[in-house]
mmCIF file of all heavy atoms in Angstrom:
data_model
loop_
_atom_site.group_PDB
_atom_site.id
_atom_site.type_symbol
_atom_site.label_atom_id
_atom_site.label_comp_id
_atom_site.label_asym_id
_atom_site.label_seq_id
_atom_site.Cartn_x
_atom_site.Cartn_y
_atom_site.Cartn_z
ATOM 1 N N SER A 1075 0.825 -1.201 -0.004
ATOM 2 C CA SER A 1075 -0.003 -0.005 -0.009
ATOM 3 C C SER A 1075 0.856 1.253 -0.005
ATOM 4 O O SER A 1075 0.571 2.225 -0.693
ATOM 5 C CB SER A 1075 -0.927 -0.009 1.209
ATOM 6 O OG SER A 1075 -0.186 -0.029 2.417
ATOM 7 N N PHE A 1076 1.950 1.231 0.747
ATOM 8 C CA PHE A 1076 2.827 2.412 0.837
ATOM 9 C C PHE A 1076 3.548 2.666 -0.488
ATOM 10 O O PHE A 1076 3.579 3.800 -0.971
ATOM 11 C CB PHE A 1076 3.851 2.221 1.966
ATOM 12 C CG PHE A 1076 4.766 3.408 2.156
ATOM 13 C CD1 PHE A 1076 4.240 4.674 2.404
ATOM 14 C CD2 PHE A 1076 6.126 3.247 2.138
ATOM 15 C CE1 PHE A 1076 5.069 5.765 2.590
ATOM 16 C CE2 PHE A 1076 6.972 4.328 2.313
ATOM 17 C CZ PHE A 1076 6.454 5.599 2.546
ATOM 18 N N SER A 1077 4.096 1.625 -1.104
ATOM 19 C CA SER A 1077 4.793 1.777 -2.369
ATOM 20 C C SER A 1077 3.851 2.227 -3.482
ATOM 21 O O SER A 1077 4.199 3.052 -4.333
ATOM 22 C CB SER A 1077 5.537 0.509 -2.779
ATOM 23 O OG SER A 1077 4.599 -0.560 -2.931
ATOM 24 N N ASP A 1078 2.600 1.686 -3.455
ATOM 25 C CA ASP A 1078 1.603 2.132 -4.451
ATOM 26 C C ASP A 1078 1.267 3.590 -4.231
ATOM 27 O O ASP A 1078 1.086 4.349 -5.224
ATOM 28 C CB ASP A 1078 0.349 1.271 -4.319
ATOM 29 C CG ASP A 1078 0.525 -0.123 -4.896
ATOM 30 O OD1 ASP A 1078 1.560 -0.347 -5.569
ATOM 31 O OD2 ASP A 1078 -0.332 -0.973 -4.643
ATOM 32 N N GLY A 1079 1.139 4.011 -2.980
ATOM 33 C CA GLY A 1079 0.843 5.412 -2.705
ATOM 34 C C GLY A 1079 1.964 6.356 -3.174
ATOM 35 O O GLY A 1079 1.698 7.420 -3.701
ATOM 36 N N LEU A 1080 3.198 5.918 -2.990
ATOM 37 C CA LEU A 1080 4.334 6.736 -3.457
ATOM 38 C C LEU A 1080 4.339 6.844 -4.975
ATOM 39 O O LEU A 1080 4.756 7.865 -5.542
ATOM 40 C CB LEU A 1080 5.669 6.103 -2.990
ATOM 41 C CG LEU A 1080 5.938 6.146 -1.472
ATOM 42 C CD1 LEU A 1080 7.218 5.366 -1.167
ATOM 43 C CD2 LEU A 1080 6.082 7.582 -0.975
ATOM 44 N N GLY A 1081 3.911 5.772 -5.673
ATOM 45 C CA GLY A 1081 3.965 5.766 -7.129
ATOM 46 C C GLY A 1081 2.809 6.488 -7.795
ATOM 47 O O GLY A 1081 2.819 6.625 -9.022
ATOM 48 N N GLN A 1082 1.809 6.927 -7.017
ATOM 49 C CA GLN A 1082 0.640 7.572 -7.620
ATOM 50 C C GLN A 1082 0.720 9.096 -7.625
ATOM 51 O O GLN A 1082 -0.272 9.769 -7.925
ATOM 52 C CB GLN A 1082 -0.615 7.129 -6.830
ATOM 53 C CG GLN A 1082 -0.973 5.652 -7.087
ATOM 54 C CD GLN A 1082 -2.102 5.182 -6.189
ATOM 55 O OE1 GLN A 1082 -2.639 5.946 -5.378
ATOM 56 N NE2 GLN A 1082 -2.453 3.907 -6.318
ATOM 57 N N MET A 1083 1.881 9.619 -7.313
ATOM 58 C CA MET A 1083 2.035 11.100 -7.335
ATOM 59 C C MET A 1083 1.980 11.627 -8.762
ATOM 60 O O MET A 1083 2.437 10.984 -9.701
ATOM 61 C CB MET A 1083 3.395 11.485 -6.717
ATOM 62 C CG MET A 1083 3.403 11.496 -5.194
ATOM 63 S SD MET A 1083 2.367 12.809 -4.538
ATOM 64 C CE MET A 1083 3.138 14.228 -5.289
ATOM 65 N N ASP A 1084 1.452 12.835 -8.888
ATOM 66 C CA ASP A 1084 1.399 13.515 -10.184
ATOM 67 C C ASP A 1084 2.801 13.901 -10.636
ATOM 68 O O ASP A 1084 3.540 14.605 -9.931
ATOM 69 C CB ASP A 1084 0.528 14.770 -10.047
ATOM 70 C CG ASP A 1084 0.252 15.439 -11.399
ATOM 71 O OD1 ASP A 1084 0.950 15.085 -12.383
ATOM 72 O OD2 ASP A 1084 -0.621 16.319 -11.462
ATOM 73 N N LYS A 1085 3.216 13.381 -11.799
ATOM 74 C CA LYS A 1085 4.584 13.625 -12.270
ATOM 75 C C LYS A 1085 4.855 15.104 -12.537
ATOM 76 O O LYS A 1085 5.981 15.589 -12.338
ATOM 77 C CB LYS A 1085 4.843 12.794 -13.528
ATOM 78 C CG LYS A 1085 4.943 11.304 -13.276
ATOM 79 C CD LYS A 1085 5.297 10.547 -14.536
ATOM 80 C CE LYS A 1085 5.409 9.065 -14.241
ATOM 81 N NZ LYS A 1085 5.779 8.262 -15.457
ATOM 82 N N GLU A 1086 3.843 15.828 -12.996
ATOM 83 C CA GLU A 1086 4.044 17.269 -13.253
ATOM 84 C C GLU A 1086 4.322 18.012 -11.967
ATOM 85 O O GLU A 1086 5.139 18.931 -11.929
ATOM 86 C CB GLU A 1086 2.797 17.830 -13.936
ATOM 87 C CG GLU A 1086 2.552 17.281 -15.342
ATOM 88 C CD GLU A 1086 1.373 17.948 -16.014
ATOM 89 O OE1 GLU A 1086 0.734 18.814 -15.375
ATOM 90 O OE2 GLU A 1086 1.087 17.582 -17.178
ATOM 91 N N TYR A 1087 3.660 17.590 -10.890
ATOM 92 C CA TYR A 1087 3.891 18.226 -9.602
ATOM 93 C C TYR A 1087 5.309 17.920 -9.116
ATOM 94 O O TYR A 1087 6.012 18.799 -8.576
ATOM 95 C CB TYR A 1087 2.865 17.722 -8.597
ATOM 96 C CG TYR A 1087 2.930 18.385 -7.252
ATOM 97 C CD1 TYR A 1087 2.939 19.772 -7.123
ATOM 98 C CD2 TYR A 1087 2.992 17.617 -6.096
ATOM 99 C CE1 TYR A 1087 2.999 20.386 -5.896
ATOM 100 C CE2 TYR A 1087 3.077 18.231 -4.845
ATOM 101 C CZ TYR A 1087 3.064 19.615 -4.769
ATOM 102 O OH TYR A 1087 3.124 20.211 -3.514
ATOM 103 N N LEU A 1088 5.753 16.678 -9.332
ATOM 104 C CA LEU A 1088 7.101 16.300 -8.928
ATOM 105 C C LEU A 1088 8.146 17.092 -9.725
ATOM 106 O O LEU A 1088 9.161 17.543 -9.189
ATOM 107 C CB LEU A 1088 7.316 14.805 -9.136
ATOM 108 C CG LEU A 1088 6.479 13.877 -8.278
ATOM 109 C CD1 LEU A 1088 6.740 12.419 -8.650
ATOM 110 C CD2 LEU A 1088 6.793 14.083 -6.802
ATOM 111 N N ASN A 1089 7.891 17.268 -11.018
ATOM 112 C CA ASN A 1089 8.798 18.047 -11.852
ATOM 113 C C ASN A 1089 8.876 19.495 -11.401
ATOM 114 O O ASN A 1089 9.937 20.128 -11.469
ATOM 115 C CB ASN A 1089 8.382 17.987 -13.335
ATOM 116 C CG ASN A 1089 8.568 16.594 -13.933
ATOM 117 O OD1 ASN A 1089 9.455 15.853 -13.502
ATOM 118 N ND2 ASN A 1089 7.776 16.252 -14.929
ATOM 119 N N LEU A 1090 7.760 20.008 -10.941
ATOM 120 C CA LEU A 1090 7.724 21.390 -10.425
ATOM 121 C C LEU A 1090 8.613 21.515 -9.192
ATOM 122 O O LEU A 1090 9.358 22.498 -9.030
ATOM 123 C CB LEU A 1090 6.282 21.785 -10.084
ATOM 124 C CG LEU A 1090 6.087 23.209 -9.496
ATOM 125 C CD1 LEU A 1090 6.513 24.264 -10.501
ATOM 126 C CD2 LEU A 1090 4.652 23.386 -9.073
ATOM 127 N N ILE A 1091 8.553 20.531 -8.295
ATOM 128 C CA ILE A 1091 9.379 20.554 -7.093
ATOM 129 C C ILE A 1091 10.850 20.474 -7.468
ATOM 130 O O ILE A 1091 11.687 21.186 -6.895
ATOM 131 C CB ILE A 1091 9.017 19.368 -6.172
ATOM 132 C CG1 ILE A 1091 7.553 19.440 -5.733
ATOM 133 C CG2 ILE A 1091 9.929 19.354 -4.947
ATOM 134 C CD1 ILE A 1091 7.205 20.665 -4.954
ATOM 135 N N ARG A 1092 11.191 19.647 -8.471
ATOM 136 C CA ARG A 1092 12.569 19.541 -8.907
ATOM 137 C C ARG A 1092 13.032 20.843 -9.530
ATOM 138 O O ARG A 1092 14.195 21.253 -9.385
ATOM 139 C CB ARG A 1092 12.694 18.395 -9.920
ATOM 140 C CG ARG A 1092 12.484 17.011 -9.328
ATOM 141 C CD ARG A 1092 12.881 15.930 -10.309
ATOM 142 N NE ARG A 1092 12.580 14.587 -9.832
ATOM 143 C CZ ARG A 1092 11.522 13.872 -10.169
ATOM 144 N NH1 ARG A 1092 10.637 14.413 -11.041
ATOM 145 N NH2 ARG A 1092 11.306 12.690 -9.671
ATOM 146 N N THR A 1093 12.120 21.510 -10.230
ATOM 147 C CA THR A 1093 12.450 22.794 -10.855
ATOM 148 C C THR A 1093 12.908 23.821 -9.826
ATOM 149 O O THR A 1093 13.797 24.651 -10.078
ATOM 150 C CB THR A 1093 11.268 23.348 -11.653
ATOM 151 O OG1 THR A 1093 10.890 22.406 -12.637
ATOM 152 C CG2 THR A 1093 11.628 24.640 -12.337
ATOM 153 N N TYR A 1094 12.290 23.775 -8.664
ATOM 154 C CA TYR A 1094 12.641 24.712 -7.584
ATOM 155 C C TYR A 1094 13.846 24.229 -6.787
ATOM 156 O O TYR A 1094 14.150 24.767 -5.718
ATOM 157 C CB TYR A 1094 11.452 24.905 -6.645
ATOM 158 C CG TYR A 1094 10.430 25.853 -7.205
ATOM 159 C CD1 TYR A 1094 9.316 25.379 -7.874
ATOM 160 C CD2 TYR A 1094 10.578 27.233 -7.087
ATOM 161 C CE1 TYR A 1094 8.358 26.239 -8.378
ATOM 162 C CE2 TYR A 1094 9.655 28.107 -7.598
ATOM 163 C CZ TYR A 1094 8.529 27.599 -8.233
ATOM 164 O OH TYR A 1094 7.603 28.473 -8.764
ATOM 165 N N GLY A 1095 14.549 23.231 -7.283
ATOM 166 C CA GLY A 1095 15.779 22.790 -6.638
ATOM 167 C C GLY A 1095 15.630 21.783 -5.529
ATOM 168 O O GLY A 1095 16.560 21.591 -4.741
ATOM 169 N N GLY A 1096 14.490 21.142 -5.477
ATOM 170 C CA GLY A 1096 14.258 20.157 -4.420
ATOM 171 C C GLY A 1096 15.084 18.896 -4.639
ATOM 172 O O GLY A 1096 15.133 18.362 -5.730
ATOM 173 N N SER A 1097 15.778 18.459 -3.589
ATOM 174 C CA SER A 1097 16.589 17.236 -3.678
ATOM 175 C C SER A 1097 15.674 16.027 -3.590
ATOM 176 O O SER A 1097 14.483 16.136 -3.279
ATOM 177 C CB SER A 1097 17.615 17.198 -2.538
ATOM 178 O OG SER A 1097 16.947 17.124 -1.294
ATOM 179 N N LYS A 1098 16.233 14.845 -3.847
ATOM 180 C CA LYS A 1098 15.453 13.621 -3.771
ATOM 181 C C LYS A 1098 14.944 13.387 -2.351
ATOM 182 O O LYS A 1098 13.818 12.933 -2.150
ATOM 183 C CB LYS A 1098 16.292 12.429 -4.272
ATOM 184 C CG LYS A 1098 15.438 11.274 -4.766
ATOM 185 C CD LYS A 1098 16.286 10.336 -5.615
ATOM 186 C CE LYS A 1098 15.375 9.319 -6.305
ATOM 187 N NZ LYS A 1098 16.143 8.401 -7.184
ATOM 188 N N PHE A 1099 15.802 13.696 -1.378
ATOM 189 C CA PHE A 1099 15.409 13.540 0.031
ATOM 190 C C PHE A 1099 14.239 14.452 0.331
ATOM 191 O O PHE A 1099 13.262 14.044 0.997
ATOM 192 C CB PHE A 1099 16.606 13.826 0.936
ATOM 193 C CG PHE A 1099 16.241 13.833 2.396
ATOM 194 C CD1 PHE A 1099 16.079 12.637 3.090
ATOM 195 C CD2 PHE A 1099 16.074 15.037 3.091
ATOM 196 C CE1 PHE A 1099 15.755 12.643 4.432
ATOM 197 C CE2 PHE A 1099 15.740 15.045 4.411
ATOM 198 C CZ PHE A 1099 15.583 13.846 5.102
ATOM 199 N N GLN A 1100 14.320 15.708 -0.092
ATOM 200 C CA GLN A 1100 13.257 16.663 0.150
ATOM 201 C C GLN A 1100 11.971 16.254 -0.592
ATOM 202 O O GLN A 1100 10.860 16.480 -0.103
ATOM 203 C CB GLN A 1100 13.683 18.068 -0.299
ATOM 204 C CG GLN A 1100 14.750 18.671 0.584
ATOM 205 C CD GLN A 1100 15.267 19.995 0.028
ATOM 206 O OE1 GLN A 1100 15.366 20.158 -1.177
ATOM 207 N NE2 GLN A 1100 15.600 20.902 0.924
ATOM 208 N N LEU A 1101 12.150 15.669 -1.747
ATOM 209 C CA LEU A 1101 10.989 15.205 -2.537
ATOM 210 C C LEU A 1101 10.165 14.185 -1.759
ATOM 211 O O LEU A 1101 8.936 14.264 -1.741
ATOM 212 C CB LEU A 1101 11.481 14.614 -3.844
ATOM 213 C CG LEU A 1101 10.497 14.505 -5.000
ATOM 214 C CD1 LEU A 1101 10.108 15.875 -5.487
ATOM 215 C CD2 LEU A 1101 11.107 13.686 -6.143
ATOM 216 N N TYR A 1102 10.876 13.287 -1.118
ATOM 217 C CA TYR A 1102 10.153 12.261 -0.316
ATOM 218 C C TYR A 1102 9.656 12.832 0.994
ATOM 219 O O TYR A 1102 8.517 12.541 1.391
ATOM 220 C CB TYR A 1102 11.100 11.071 -0.052
ATOM 221 C CG TYR A 1102 11.159 10.115 -1.215
ATOM 222 C CD1 TYR A 1102 12.138 10.207 -2.177
ATOM 223 C CD2 TYR A 1102 10.222 9.106 -1.367
ATOM 224 C CE1 TYR A 1102 12.223 9.343 -3.260
ATOM 225 C CE2 TYR A 1102 10.247 8.232 -2.445
ATOM 226 C CZ TYR A 1102 11.277 8.344 -3.380
ATOM 227 O OH TYR A 1102 11.325 7.482 -4.445
ATOM 228 N N LYS A 1103 10.468 13.650 1.641
ATOM 229 C CA LYS A 1103 10.061 14.184 2.953
ATOM 230 C C LYS A 1103 8.915 15.138 2.882
ATOM 231 O O LYS A 1103 7.983 15.093 3.696
ATOM 232 C CB LYS A 1103 11.289 14.850 3.588
ATOM 233 C CG LYS A 1103 11.012 15.434 4.975
ATOM 234 C CD LYS A 1103 12.213 16.135 5.523
ATOM 235 C CE LYS A 1103 11.901 16.754 6.893
ATOM 236 N NZ LYS A 1103 13.072 17.473 7.467
ATOM 237 N N ILE A 1104 8.914 16.025 1.872
ATOM 238 C CA ILE A 1104 7.925 17.092 1.803
ATOM 239 C C ILE A 1104 6.695 16.712 0.986
ATOM 240 O O ILE A 1104 5.590 17.120 1.295
ATOM 241 C CB ILE A 1104 8.562 18.388 1.231
ATOM 242 C CG1 ILE A 1104 9.742 18.826 2.127
ATOM 243 C CG2 ILE A 1104 7.566 19.523 1.101
ATOM 244 C CD1 ILE A 1104 10.550 19.960 1.558
ATOM 245 N N VAL A 1105 6.917 15.890 -0.046
ATOM 246 C CA VAL A 1105 5.843 15.662 -1.011
ATOM 247 C C VAL A 1105 5.342 14.194 -0.993
ATOM 248 O O VAL A 1105 4.187 13.924 -0.686
ATOM 249 C CB VAL A 1105 6.293 16.040 -2.442
ATOM 250 C CG1 VAL A 1105 5.144 15.808 -3.411
ATOM 251 C CG2 VAL A 1105 6.748 17.487 -2.475
ATOM 252 N N LYS A 1106 6.232 13.282 -1.325
ATOM 253 C CA LYS A 1106 5.787 11.908 -1.591
ATOM 254 C C LYS A 1106 5.258 11.187 -0.352
ATOM 255 O O LYS A 1106 4.159 10.596 -0.393
ATOM 256 C CB LYS A 1106 6.923 11.110 -2.227
ATOM 257 C CG LYS A 1106 7.109 11.342 -3.710
ATOM 258 C CD LYS A 1106 7.863 10.199 -4.359
ATOM 259 C CE LYS A 1106 7.696 10.234 -5.864
ATOM 260 N NZ LYS A 1106 8.234 9.040 -6.512
ATOM 261 N N ILE A 1107 6.012 11.212 0.723
ATOM 262 C CA ILE A 1107 5.582 10.485 1.907
ATOM 263 C C ILE A 1107 4.275 11.040 2.490
ATOM 264 O O ILE A 1107 3.351 10.277 2.782
ATOM 265 C CB ILE A 1107 6.706 10.450 2.962
ATOM 266 C CG1 ILE A 1107 7.868 9.581 2.462
ATOM 267 C CG2 ILE A 1107 6.176 9.893 4.298
ATOM 268 C CD1 ILE A 1107 9.062 9.523 3.375
ATOM 269 N N PRO A 1108 4.152 12.395 2.620
ATOM 270 C CA PRO A 1108 2.855 12.896 3.113
ATOM 271 C C PRO A 1108 1.683 12.541 2.187
ATOM 272 O O PRO A 1108 0.578 12.257 2.659
ATOM 273 C CB PRO A 1108 3.078 14.428 3.131
ATOM 274 C CG PRO A 1108 4.541 14.581 3.331
ATOM 275 C CD PRO A 1108 5.171 13.461 2.550
ATOM 276 N N SER A 1109 1.942 12.538 0.876
ATOM 277 C CA SER A 1109 0.868 12.208 -0.082
ATOM 278 C C SER A 1109 0.504 10.722 -0.019
ATOM 279 O O SER A 1109 -0.638 10.363 -0.375
ATOM 280 C CB SER A 1109 1.304 12.587 -1.500
ATOM 281 O OG SER A 1109 1.551 13.956 -1.586
ATOM 282 N N ALA A 1110 1.435 9.891 0.394
ATOM 283 C CA ALA A 1110 1.174 8.445 0.447
ATOM 284 C C ALA A 1110 0.593 8.001 1.782
ATOM 285 O O ALA A 1110 0.375 6.814 1.995
ATOM 286 C CB ALA A 1110 2.490 7.686 0.192
ATOM 287 N N MET A 1111 0.347 8.943 2.682
ATOM 288 C CA MET A 1111 -0.118 8.599 4.031
ATOM 289 C C MET A 1111 -1.480 7.862 3.988
ATOM 290 O O MET A 1111 -1.701 6.925 4.781
ATOM 291 C CB MET A 1111 -0.222 9.846 4.896
ATOM 292 C CG MET A 1111 1.085 10.310 5.469
ATOM 293 S SD MET A 1111 1.847 9.058 6.554
ATOM 294 C CE MET A 1111 0.641 8.993 7.873
ATOM 295 N N ILE A 1112 -2.370 8.301 3.128
ATOM 296 C CA ILE A 1112 -3.698 7.651 3.066
ATOM 297 C C ILE A 1112 -3.555 6.178 2.675
ATOM 298 O O ILE A 1112 -4.169 5.287 3.271
ATOM 299 C CB ILE A 1112 -4.609 8.378 2.083
ATOM 300 C CG1 ILE A 1112 -4.919 9.785 2.599
ATOM 301 C CG2 ILE A 1112 -5.933 7.600 1.895
ATOM 302 C CD1 ILE A 1112 -5.753 10.626 1.672
ATOM 303 N N SER A 1113 -2.710 5.906 1.666
ATOM 304 C CA SER A 1113 -2.476 4.507 1.256
ATOM 305 C C SER A 1113 -1.787 3.741 2.362
ATOM 306 O O SER A 1113 -2.105 2.572 2.617
ATOM 307 C CB SER A 1113 -1.618 4.492 -0.012
ATOM 308 O OG SER A 1113 -2.268 5.134 -1.083
ATOM 309 N N LEU A 1114 -0.824 4.384 3.019
ATOM 310 C CA LEU A 1114 -0.107 3.738 4.121
ATOM 311 C C LEU A 1114 -1.062 3.336 5.232
ATOM 312 O O LEU A 1114 -0.984 2.222 5.770
ATOM 313 C CB LEU A 1114 0.984 4.664 4.653
ATOM 314 C CG LEU A 1114 1.756 4.168 5.888
ATOM 315 C CD1 LEU A 1114 2.481 2.874 5.606
ATOM 316 C CD2 LEU A 1114 2.751 5.246 6.349
ATOM 317 N N LEU A 1115 -1.957 4.225 5.568
ATOM 318 C CA LEU A 1115 -2.938 3.944 6.628
ATOM 319 C C LEU A 1115 -3.857 2.780 6.257
ATOM 320 O O LEU A 1115 -4.254 1.995 7.136
ATOM 321 C CB LEU A 1115 -3.744 5.203 6.937
ATOM 322 C CG LEU A 1115 -3.009 6.293 7.702
ATOM 323 C CD1 LEU A 1115 -3.822 7.586 7.740
ATOM 324 C CD2 LEU A 1115 -2.670 5.841 9.115
ATOM 325 N N SER A 1116 -4.200 2.681 4.971
ATOM 326 C CA SER A 1116 -5.024 1.549 4.539
ATOM 327 C C SER A 1116 -4.295 0.238 4.776
ATOM 328 O O SER A 1116 -4.905 -0.743 5.272
ATOM 329 C CB SER A 1116 -5.347 1.699 3.053
ATOM 330 O OG SER A 1116 -6.115 2.856 2.811
ATOM 331 N N GLY A 1117 -3.016 0.206 4.451
ATOM 332 C CA GLY A 1117 -2.234 -1.011 4.704
ATOM 333 C C GLY A 1117 -2.073 -1.289 6.189
ATOM 334 O O GLY A 1117 -2.092 -2.425 6.606
ATOM 335 N N LEU A 1118 -1.899 -0.238 6.986
ATOM 336 C CA LEU A 1118 -1.764 -0.404 8.413
ATOM 337 C C LEU A 1118 -3.012 -0.960 9.050
ATOM 338 O O LEU A 1118 -2.954 -1.770 9.998
ATOM 339 C CB LEU A 1118 -1.418 0.973 9.070
ATOM 340 C CG LEU A 1118 0.052 1.377 9.019
ATOM 341 C CD1 LEU A 1118 0.213 2.810 9.547
ATOM 342 C CD2 LEU A 1118 0.913 0.427 9.851
ATOM 343 N N LYS A 1119 -4.177 -0.558 8.543
ATOM 344 C CA LYS A 1119 -5.455 -1.106 9.087
ATOM 345 C C LYS A 1119 -5.539 -2.596 8.857
ATOM 346 O O LYS A 1119 -5.949 -3.340 9.754
ATOM 347 C CB LYS A 1119 -6.638 -0.378 8.430
ATOM 348 C CG LYS A 1119 -6.813 1.066 8.848
ATOM 349 C CD LYS A 1119 -7.931 1.722 8.053
ATOM 350 C CE LYS A 1119 -8.045 3.216 8.387
ATOM 351 N NZ LYS A 1119 -9.067 3.894 7.544
ATOM 352 N N VAL A 1120 -5.151 -3.011 7.667
ATOM 353 C CA VAL A 1120 -5.173 -4.460 7.362
ATOM 354 C C VAL A 1120 -4.154 -5.187 8.256
ATOM 355 O O VAL A 1120 -4.443 -6.229 8.838
ATOM 356 C CB VAL A 1120 -4.855 -4.706 5.881
ATOM 357 C CG1 VAL A 1120 -4.768 -6.210 5.588
ATOM 358 C CG2 VAL A 1120 -5.919 -4.056 5.009
ATOM 359 N N ALA A 1121 -2.956 -4.626 8.339
ATOM 360 C CA ALA A 1121 -1.894 -5.244 9.149
ATOM 361 C C ALA A 1121 -2.284 -5.310 10.597
ATOM 362 O O ALA A 1121 -2.001 -6.298 11.290
ATOM 363 C CB ALA A 1121 -0.591 -4.484 8.960
ATOM 364 N N ALA A 1122 -2.903 -4.243 11.122
ATOM 365 C CA ALA A 1122 -3.311 -4.234 12.524
ATOM 366 C C ALA A 1122 -4.281 -5.353 12.830
ATOM 367 O O ALA A 1122 -4.257 -5.963 13.905
ATOM 368 C CB ALA A 1122 -3.901 -2.870 12.869
#
């Protein structure tokens, strides 16, 4: 669920973040991981 959530980000939005000089670490910390939280929580409910 978490990996699927990370892969569903809008590529144009990611390109915009890169345009502003965002590093790969910042990309995950600021954009990808927060956006994947809903998918992560779905997997956590099943796992729990």
Side-chain angles (χ1 to χ4, degrees):
S1075 60
F1076 182 55
S1077 60
D1078 286 347
L1080 291 174
Q1082 290 172 1
M1083 279 292 302
D1084 188 346
K1085 291 184 178 181
E1086 293 184 0
Y1087 185 52
L1088 294 177
N1089 291 333
L1090 178 64
I1091 300 299
R1092 292 191 185 98
T1093 301
Y1094 282 96
S1097 64
K1098 204 163 190 177
F1099 174 78
Q1100 291 174 325
L1101 201 66
Y1102 278 94
K1103 181 182 178 181
I1104 300 172
V1105 181
K1106 279 201 164 189
I1107 293 178
S1109 299
M1111 280 299 296
I1112 295 177
S1113 298
L1114 175 61
L1115 287 170
S1116 297
L1118 277 173
K1119 289 175 185 176
V1120 176

